[in-house]
Amino acid sequence: SMQDDAAEAIILLTHGYPKAKWRVWIRTKIVANPWFGRVVMLLIALNCVSLAMDVPAYTCDVQWANLLEAVELFFTVAFAVELMINCLGLGVFEYVRNPWNRLDAVVAVSCVVLVVVEAVAGTAEPFAGQSQGCAGKGDAFPGISALRAVRVFRPLRVVTGIPEIRIIVNSLLYSFRMLLDVLMLYLLMLITFGIVALTLWRGKLRFRCVDAAGNFPPDGEEQVCRFDPGANLTLNTGGPLLEGYQCPWGYYCSDHYPNTTVHFQNPNRDITSFDNIAHVFLTIFVMVTTEWWT
């Protein structure tokens, strides 16, 4: 309403912001204008659509890729101008006092840096097409991919523009602090059971059934067997059953190939194991989630 807009303008005018007349004009006539925020929200929505329509790097639709590059350049310039207006009207220090504004500034500055780096490196050709005739650009520097990934944070700027969403997000972030005690308890249980697993099962998942020539059973290459020092380690002759998986006739349980020191891998490409505390934590986490992460 007009009263709310007037109240917001008074706050912007009387707060500890720069007092220069031209800055006061920017602050009250542009930043405090409701249409300024609405235009920014519209740009964010359109940018989300353009990001969702991005093409994979292996496609060769040069015209569409060039169009998206031009649109991305437009949004980069638009958000950079919006950041400049806010900094001129509110002052840099007052603007970055809000944590959400810091996120906006990091995203806008990172996109500008990306454009500059690509232009200097000669990898940005938004209007002339790619030299290979396909969409996608090579990385002239190792950090360019990370700078491109920063663009995905632009939709989060909606939080700063819609107070209701900002209240919900701030409440969620505040609740995370209250869950620190639960997280500490979880880590304590993880460490406790991790030490137990490390003590009991270190190296036990490397044992496989092999014969004297180093061959696995037809269907038992991934089958973990139980090593028993008191059993016949040359060949299984059909003796008393051991606890756990018993190797078929003609195979014995070992953690390395015959006549070598090359050890077998743990299951799941040497990931599922209890050989060190890091793998123990990962294995327990996979078991707790019951997803097996396959």
Side-chain angles (χ1 to χ4, degrees), residues 13-285:
L13 182 62
T14 58
H15 202 270
Y17 297 116
K19 299 300 190 295
K21 291 184 178 181
W22 61 277
R23 286 194 165 189
V24 173
W25 187 88
I26 293 176
R27 188 161 62 247
T28 56
K29 299 299 183 180
I30 300 180
V31 178
N33 193 317
W35 282 102
F36 180 73
R38 294 168 188 169
V39 171
V40 172
M41 290 296 104
L42 178 62
L43 290 175
I44 294 174
L46 294 177
N47 186 223
C48 292
V49 174
S50 66
L51 290 175
M53 298 175 66
D54 197 5
V55 294
Y58 55 81
T59 60
C60 293
D61 193 347
V62 180
Q63 293 182 349
W64 182 253
N66 290 341
L67 176 61
L68 291 178
E69 288 292 339
V71 171
E72 178 61 29
L73 181 60
F74 165 77
F75 284 119
T76 299
V77 174
F79 290 126
V81 171
E82 184 247 343
L83 174 63
M84 186 181 303
I85 292 175
N86 281 315
C87 290
L88 290 176
L90 305 178
V92 176
F93 295 103
E94 290 294 333
Y95 178 74
V96 300
R97 191 185 297 273
N98 188 330
W100 293 106
N101 289 343
R102 297 174 201 164
L103 175 63
D104 295 348
V106 169
V107 174
V109 172
S110 299
C111 292
V112 172
V113 172
L114 174 62
V115 172
V116 173
V117 170
E118 289 185 335
V120 172
T123 60
E125 301 178 2
F127 304 105
Q130 306 302 325
S131 59
Q132 301 298 327
C134 297
K137 301 187 289 287
D139 292 347
F141 300 102
I144 287 184
S145 296
L147 289 175
R148 291 197 186 107
V150 175
R151 297 180 301 177
V152 302
F153 291 102
R154 281 178 179 170
L156 293 179
R157 302 193 58 200
V158 177
V159 177
T160 63
I162 303 179
E164 292 79 6
I165 296 181
R166 185 166 62 247
I167 293 174
I168 296 175
V169 172
N170 288 334
S171 300
L172 290 175
L173 295 177
Y174 180 76
S175 65
F176 290 155
R177 304 174 188 173
M178 304 177 66
L179 292 176
L180 288 179
D181 295 336
V182 179
L183 179 61
M184 294 298 296
L185 177 61
Y186 171 75
L187 292 178
L188 178 61
M189 300 299 293
L190 189 66
I191 293 173
T192 302
F193 286 102
I195 294 175
V196 173
L198 188 67
T199 304
L200 295 178
W201 300 311
R202 177 187 294 175
K204 297 298 180 63
L205 299 184
R206 294 182 180 272
F207 285 88
R208 301 291 189 277
C209 294
V210 293
D211 58 13
N215 299 316
F216 297 104
D219 57 349
E221 183 175 349
E222 290 295 329
Q223 177 64 53
V224 179
C225 59
R226 182 182 183 275
F227 171 72
D228 190 345
N232 185 355
L233 300 182
T234 303
L235 290 174
N236 181 14
T237 56
L241 291 176
L242 303 175
E243 295 181 4
Y245 180 79
Q246 185 182 23
C247 294
W249 184 276
Y251 296 87
Y252 67 96
C253 190
S254 176
D255 64 343
H256 59 275
Y257 289 96
N259 303 320
T260 66
T261 58
V262 179
H263 290 269
F264 299 128
Q265 286 189 340
N266 290 295
N268 295 328
R269 300 176 182 177
D270 211 28
I271 296 177
T272 303
S273 74
F274 301 97
D275 294 352
N276 56 71
I277 196 65
H279 280 87
V280 169
F281 287 163
L282 178 60
T283 302
I284 294 179
F285 176 75

